Amino acid sequence: MQHTSTPLTITPAIEQAIGYFLTPHRPAKKTWSSSLPPLELQAKASIEWPDGESIPFVCHRLGCGPDVLLVHGWESQATDLWHLADAIAKAGFSVWCPDLPAHGHSSGSMLSIPLATQALHSIAHKVDHFHAVIGHSLGGAVVVNALATGLPATQVIVIAAPTHYGAYARQVAHACSLSDSDTTQMLDRLEEMTGTHPDRIAIPEQAATLNQRCLWLHANDDDVVPAEEGIQAVNAWKHAELHRFDNLGHFHILQDATVCHQLLQALARHS
C-alpha cells in the first residue's frame, strides 16, 4: 500500500478521534500474586508518540519451565489473565505476562498495536525463544503482529482477537462523524505516530507469512469481536485450527475450564 507524502491537515475533530482510538479507560490496578518480582522494562516508541520515545512498562512472572508469553487485551491488565496464568504455571511453564503501556501498573496514557508489539520485543530480549505466545482480544492481534515482526516462538494461541486494525480505526472515525477524507488523514496520522499504517496490521495477511502453528479460540456469541473474524484468520493460516464455544462471550472464555484444558493440551503437544 502506498501513501502520499502530502502534508497532513489534522483538524481538532481528527485529533479527537485519534485520542479516542488510542486512549484506554484505566480500571483500578490489581495485584499479581507471585513470589517472582516483576520486571521493569521499556517499550520503544516513535518520535511522534505523545508519551515519549520510551515507555516504562511492567512484566509479571509466574512459574518455572519453558517460556510462555501471555498478553491481555484493551482496557484489561495482566491480573485479568490470572486464571490462565496460574494453570499454565502449574503445568510446568514459566509465564511472562505484561501490563501493556497505559494499562495496569505500566506507564503511559495511550496504546497502539505497534507500541504493544515493541513491548513484547523488549520482553523477548530476556528470553531465547518462547514455547508459545498467547493473546486475548487486542493482545491476540499484538502477538500476531509481534510474530510477523520477528518475535521468536514455536506456537501461538489466539483468543477472540480482532483481525483488522484499520477496520477498527475506521469504526472510530465513523463514530466520530469524520468524512472519508478526514478518515484518510486520521489513518495517515496514526502511521506517523506509530510507525505503521493501521491497514498493514491485518491478521489474515500476516498469518499467510507465518510458520508457527496456531490454535484460535473464539465464542460464537462474542459481541465484541465477531467469531467470523476468527474464521477468516484461520482460513489464511498455514497451520491453524479453530475451536468455537457457545455462551462464553468475549470475557467469560478466559475463565472456562474447557477452554483452559484445550489451551494446556496445545502447550503440552508441542513441548
Side-chain angles (χ1 to χ4, degrees), residues 3-25:
H3 303 284
T4 66
S5 58
T6 303
L8 301 179
T9 302
I10 306 302
T11 65
I14 295 172
E15 288 284 5
Q16 184 179 41
I18 289 171
Y20 182 72
F21 182 61
L22 296 176
T23 307
H25 168 70

Side-chain angles (χ1 to χ4, degrees), residues 37 61 77 103 109 111 118 122 137 147 175-177 185 222 231-232 239 261:
R61 295 178 292 164
Q77 54 189 298
H103 290 74
S109 63
L111 181 69
Q118 289 301 315
S122 180
S137 193
L147 292 175
C176 293
S177 301
Q185 296 278 310
D222 192 322
I231 296 172
Q232 294 173 4
H239 309 287
H261 178 68

Side-chain angles (χ1 to χ4, degrees), residues 59 100 193:
C59 184
L100 295 174
M193 294 173 67

Side-chain angles (χ1 to χ4, degrees), residues 5-6 9 11 25 33 39 49 94 108 112 114 138 189 206 218 257 260:
S5 58
T6 303
T9 302
T11 65
H25 168 70
S33 301
L39 294 178
W49 191 248
S94 178
S112 67
L138 181 84
R189 176 57 181 155
Q206 293 171 315
H218 217 128
C260 184

Side-chain angles (χ1 to χ4, degrees), residues 22 38 40 45 54 59 115 125 131 163 205 217 232-233 265:
L22 296 176
E40 297 183 1
S54 186
C59 184
L115 178 61
H125 290 318
H131 174 69
T163 57
E205 286 76 13
L217 308 171
Q232 294 173 4
Q265 281 187 320

Side-chain angles (χ1 to χ4, degrees), residues 76-201:
S76 184
Q77 54 189 298
T79 49
D80 293 329
L81 300 176
W82 176 260
H83 176 75
L84 292 179
D86 187 47
I88 294 168
K90 288 177 178 176
F93 297 93
S94 178
V95 179
W96 301 71
C97 195
D99 281 328
L100 295 174
H103 290 74
H105 294 265
S106 294
S107 298
S109 63
M110 292 183 170
L111 181 69
S112 67
I113 287 181
L115 178 61
T117 298
Q118 289 301 315
L120 300 197
H121 282 294
S122 180
I123 298 169
H125 290 318
K126 304 291 183 180
V127 178
D128 289 335
H129 187 91
F130 286 108
H131 174 69
V133 291
I134 305 169
H136 171 246
S137 193
L138 181 84
V142 172
V143 299
V144 174
N145 193 58
L147 292 175
T149 53
L151 190 80
T154 300
Q155 64 173 312
V156 56
I157 300 174
V158 178
I159 308 172
T163 57
H164 293 273
Y165 198 41
Y168 279 81
R170 287 178 174 84
Q171 287 182 14
V172 170
H174 178 74
C176 293
S177 301
L178 295 189
S179 66
D180 289 346
S181 60
D182 280 354
T183 298
T184 298
Q185 296 278 310
M186 172 185 167
L187 294 170
D188 288 345
R189 176 57 181 155
L190 285 168
E191 180 179 18
E192 284 187 345
M193 294 173 67
T194 69
T196 306
H197 193 279
D199 285 337
R200 295 182 62 85
I201 303 175

